Amino acid sequence: MPDNTSQHPPPHPTSWENGWTPDSSRAPGTRRLWLAGALALTTIAVCATAIVITDKQSDDTPRTKAATDPSSIGAEGPGLLSFASPSKTGTPTPGAHTPAAKKSPSASATAAEQGSTPSAKAPAPSKSASSQGGSSSSGSGGSSGSGGSSSSSSAWKSVRSVNYPDRYWQVSGDYVKLNPAGSTAARRASTFKVVKGLAKSSCYSFTTADGSYLRHRNFILRAERNDGSSLFKQDATFCPRPSSYSGAVMLESVNYPGRYLRHQNFQLKLDQYQNSSLFRADSAFRLVAGLN
């Protein structure tokens, strides 16, 4: 009897029949997730590195530009010393005048003893009016002192205080003080020859009868022999500036602009300008005919 059972083809072998056994210990697709995570981390690291390099280049660019820009060197260059501003005629030797001397407590202490309280700061007398101050300085002496080119630049003068009209500049020892001139010796010590400034011809220098010059040293006025140095010439040169008192002048140091000769405790010294009535009176002098 014929067999009607249909013949079925033999089944194809499954994957595990080829010797490969699936790993049932991890979920399907884990390997793809690891690969995707590694790729994402790599991308992030590359982007972060690029950002850091870009920022570093942008920071280095201004530094390189500032280092090579000559205009930035002039303003705050290295090695600049903070001395008092000298004039264009020369620079004083730091060893002769130290900046610490400008902070001498004697000025403020004496001003306090005399009851002077400086008011708000005001501009110092204008330098452009020096010729006017020079001409007024000799009003009581009978000759003009403008520009140092007139007769007063080589005339014998005495320097009288405005607020102590009976006292004159007088060489006492090595220093210049404000004293009465009663005796013949005192009148001789109170008479000076006004000549053209050693460091600036439009300003004044003062010589004594024995040939010494009045110069400031450590901001104190004294009579010394000319040693021929540039510092001495600057220390012995004073420029006339207009005063608030008629016929009087203020004498400004040529190498310490802003500092003026004034008397304090009857001692002549170089002091910073102060906007006070006491300072203006102490620093105002009249050049009169020589007492000797």
Side-chain angles (χ1 to χ4, degrees):
M1 191 171 186
D3 189 3
N4 294 329
T5 305
S6 61
Q7 299 293 326
H8 297 283
H12 294 285
T14 59
S15 58
W16 56 82
E17 290 177 347
N18 292 333
W20 175 78
T21 303
D23 187 1
S24 60
S25 63
R26 64 181 183 183
T30 305
R31 179 175 298 175
R32 294 192 188 95
L33 291 175
W34 278 103
L35 292 175
L39 181 60
L41 291 175
T42 303
T43 303
I44 293 173
V46 171
C47 292
T49 303
I51 292 173
V52 169
I53 294 175
T54 303
D55 291 343
K56 185 177 181 181
Q57 290 178 349
S58 63
D59 290 341
D60 291 342
T61 300
R63 296 176 184 175
T64 305
K65 183 176 179 181
T68 56
D69 187 5
S71 63
S72 64
I73 298 176
E76 296 181 0
L80 294 179
L81 300 179
S82 179
F83 290 108
S85 303
S87 65
K88 296 181 180 179
T89 56
T91 303
T93 304
H97 300 290
T98 59
K102 296 191 293 182
K103 296 183 179 180
S104 173
S106 60
S108 59
T110 308
E113 292 174 0
Q114 298 181 7
S116 168
T117 303
S119 58
K121 191 173 183 179
S126 171
K127 295 182 181 180
S128 61
S130 61
S131 61
Q132 298 176 3
S135 61
S136 64
S137 69
S138 58
S140 58
S143 60
S144 171
S146 174
S149 60
S150 60
S151 60
S152 69
S153 62
S154 60
W156 291 93
K157 298 287 183 182
S158 293
V159 186
R160 185 173 62 193
S161 170
V162 164
N163 53 349
Y164 289 92
D166 61 335
R167 290 176 177 261
Y168 300 82
W169 287 11
Q170 187 179 116
V171 177
S172 178
D174 293 333
Y175 298 97
V176 181
K177 298 186 177 182
L178 200 66
N179 290 333
S183 65
T184 301
R187 288 194 293 270
R188 184 181 299 111
S190 301
T191 303
F192 308 94
K193 189 175 184 179
V194 182
V195 298
K196 291 182 179 180
L198 296 179
K200 190 175 183 180
S201 60
S202 61
C203 298
Y204 297 157
S205 288
F206 299 87
T207 64
T208 62
D210 64 356
S212 298
Y213 282 83
L214 303 188
R215 59 88 60 97
H216 67 83
R217 182 154 57 88
N218 294 331
F219 304 113
I220 302 297
L221 192 65
R222 60 191 76 203
E224 293 184 357
R225 290 286 183 177
N226 184 1
D227 60 10
S229 66
S230 175
L231 176 63
F232 186 96
K233 293 177 181 178
Q234 294 177 59
D235 287 351
T237 303
F238 304 94
C239 298
R241 306 297 182 212
S243 169
S244 57
Y245 293 89
S246 176
V249 293
M250 299 172 65
L251 295 169
E252 182 181 23
S253 169
V254 75
N255 56 342
Y256 282 89
R259 285 185 174 268
Y260 296 81
L261 289 175
R262 60 92 56 97
H263 67 82
Q264 193 171 62
N265 294 332
F266 303 117
Q267 171 74 57
L268 271 297
K269 61 184 293 186
L270 203 61
D271 203 0
Q272 187 71 34
Y273 178 81
Q274 302 168 23
N275 183 31
S276 67
S277 58
L278 177 62
F279 181 89
R280 286 190 290 270
D282 286 352
S283 60
F285 302 98
R286 292 188 174 99
L287 274 67
V288 300
L291 299 178
N292 188 27

